[in-house]
Amino acid sequence: MSRKQYFFIILILGSLATVSPFSIDMYLPGFPRIARDLGTTIDQVQLSLTSYLIGICIGQILYGPLLDRFGRKKPLYAGLALYVLASFGCALTSSADALIVMRFFQAMGGCVGLVASQALVSDLFPSDKRAEVFSLITLVIAVSPMIAPTVGGYVTASIAWQWIFIILAGIVSVIIVAIYFFLPTGREADTSVSLRPKAVMNGFATVIRQPQFLIYTLAGGLATAAPFAYIAGSSDVFMNIYKVTEQQYGWIFAFLAVAMIGSTQLNHILLKKFKSEQIIKVTLFYQSIVGILLIAGVYNNWFGLYSLIGMMFIFLTGQGLTGPNGSALSLAPFRKHTGSASALMGSWRMGAGAIISAIVSILHNNTALPMVGMMAACSLGGLVILHAGNAVVKHQASRREVEDEVSVLL
């Protein structure tokens, strides 16, 4: 493909993958005002974030087989149309419970972009280029937290928080047009893929039985859930504890997004000298150390506003390294079941994010400890899963070698 085609494909795939992050980040500055307008509390509004993540988790499981059976574009159009309708529903809601429900349906529609973008990377690019492409897509995604909260803060302060959802509907409408005119079809519909529950479950079982997929999906998914702890708790921490304004919170969020953008570019360079396996191991180790320091600092009141932001910047730098490398390593073993593999990987990531964000909300205690504690737990958990999983695989391989040698001698 030409450089121009390459640019447009990356931009569209990145935009598809950004629909859900943008939908999360853009309304965060409006949490206090949404709570006031709907006559509820911030922790109740936080549950609309949890319901969104649950919707993503469930939706991706459904879209995986659909993308394999009907091709990439038809499910894309259907999901994004549902997203647009649900976005208007969010704008018209008059209660916290209704917002929670509409955010669920908004996520069920928008999450098709996450699954389809990853499947299309496998369709359109050779295996040795996918980690690089995932890094570029992650770069597009990383721009979202720089723009979305800042825009959301100004929209909330100057107009009304309802307009956030109207703007989101407009953005996705533009993406639908771009898909129609500029995005290649990718893998065609495969009529051999059955949508019967038993066949779908067998396809998922085939994916899960692949050790490399299982290890890097579990470890990478838990590690990439760390930002959801930050997302769930940051508006309360910065706006209620440190008393920053909605606009200032947007700029803080944008600054911390630079950490992910910079590390995404760094990943592009590191991949020329190191393997994805090496990068993800080192990154999880250093994030675990920084996470422990964050817990100690918050517990002992070592941090002011700027020092906390600085430590979180250092921690979030790792997200631009774990995400793309984890995705590339998880999907590398597959050709036929790419859609199902992408769905399972994405569903686990968002499911873990939903659980982590819910825990942050439940543990809410007017300090930053629930937020930083869960960020650290995600990195430590990912590191443990990665080392334990690789140890089990090596042990099984060595056992098979011994059994083969014994059978030869006999």
Side-chain angles (χ1 to χ4, degrees), residues 382-404:
L383 185 64
V384 170
I385 291 171
L386 186 61
H387 283 281
N390 284 328
V392 170
V393 170
K394 287 179 182 178
H395 177 68
Q396 290 176 340
S398 63
R399 278 187 59 186
R400 282 193 297 270
E401 287 179 7
V402 171
E403 289 172 358
D404 291 342

Side-chain angles (χ1 to χ4, degrees), residues 156-358:
T156 300
S158 59
I159 311 175
W161 60 265
Q162 289 89 344
W163 275 91
I164 291 172
F165 297 105
I166 296 173
I167 292 170
L168 288 171
I171 291 170
V172 170
S173 299
V174 172
I175 292 174
I176 292 173
V177 174
I179 291 169
Y180 183 83
F181 286 105
F182 301 109
L183 186 66
T185 302
R187 185 167 295 176
E188 297 290 343
D190 186 352
T191 55
S192 68
V193 176
S194 174
L195 295 180
R196 293 178 180 176
K198 184 178 180 180
V200 171
M201 295 307 296
N202 286 338
F204 284 140
T206 299
V207 171
I208 291 172
R209 283 195 293 267
Q210 166 55 244
Q212 180 172 325
F213 171 83
L214 194 60
I215 292 169
Y216 286 101
T217 294
L218 290 176
L222 188 56
T224 53
F228 290 105
Y230 156 62
I231 289 167
S234 60
S235 60
D236 180 57
V237 169
F238 290 123
M239 297 173 71
N240 288 337
I241 297 175
Y242 289 98
K243 306 301 181 184
V244 305
T245 65
E246 292 158 337
Q247 292 92 335
Q248 288 171 331
Y249 171 73
W251 286 111
I252 291 170
F253 208 93
F255 171 72
L256 290 174
V258 173
M260 290 182 279
I261 293 176
S263 59
T264 300
Q265 292 297 89
L266 176 62
N267 189 51
H268 184 71
I269 297 169
L270 291 175
L271 283 167
K272 296 177 181 178
K273 296 183 179 181
F274 303 100
K275 294 181 179 179
S276 291
E277 294 93 327
Q278 296 171 303
I279 295 172
I280 199 169
K281 281 182 183 179
V282 173
T283 303
L284 285 175
F285 178 75
Y286 106 74
Q287 278 192 298
S288 298
I289 298 300
V290 176
I292 292 170
L293 292 175
L294 273 167
I295 293 173
V298 170
Y299 184 79
N300 293 292
N301 294 314
W302 293 343
F303 301 134
L305 173 62
Y306 297 112
S307 54
L308 177 62
I309 291 171
M311 287 296 293
M312 291 182 66
F313 185 96
I314 295 170
F315 180 92
L316 291 171
T317 298
Q319 298 308 131
L321 301 175
T322 55
N325 288 302
S327 297
L329 290 166
S330 296
L331 298 179
F334 302 104
R335 290 188 62 82
K336 183 175 181 180
H337 296 286
T338 308
S340 296
S342 298
L344 283 173
M345 179 181 69
S347 181
W348 163 241
R349 287 187 176 188
M350 293 302 163
I355 294 169
I356 294 301
S357 67

Side-chain angles (χ1 to χ4, degrees), residues 2-68:
S2 68
R3 292 180 63 87
K4 185 177 180 181
Q5 288 175 312
Y6 183 81
F7 172 78
F8 275 113
I9 289 171
I10 296 296
L11 184 60
I12 294 171
L13 294 180
S15 298
L16 280 172
T18 305
V19 169
S20 287
F22 214 85
S23 303
I24 293 168
D25 300 337
M26 195 169 176
Y27 91 131
L28 294 178
F31 272 21
R33 191 161 297 192
I34 293 172
R36 287 197 300 271
D37 288 353
L38 299 182
T40 188
T41 59
I42 284 207
D43 56 325
Q44 188 72 11
V45 176
Q46 284 176 336
L47 290 177
S48 69
L49 171 61
T50 301
S51 75
Y52 190 91
L53 295 174
I54 292 171
I56 295 176
C57 179
I58 296 172
Q60 288 186 94
I61 293 292
L62 299 177
Y63 286 120
L66 292 174
L67 287 162
D68 287 333

Side-chain angles (χ1 to χ4, degrees), residues 342-379:
S342 298
L344 283 173
M345 179 181 69
S347 181
W348 163 241
R349 287 187 176 188
M350 293 302 163
I355 294 169
I356 294 301
S357 67
I359 292 173
V360 171
S361 180
I362 291 168
L363 297 178
H364 179 263
N365 62 356
N366 295 314
T367 75
L369 200 56
M371 178 181 72
V372 299
M374 295 313 300
M375 288 168 64
C378 287
S379 295

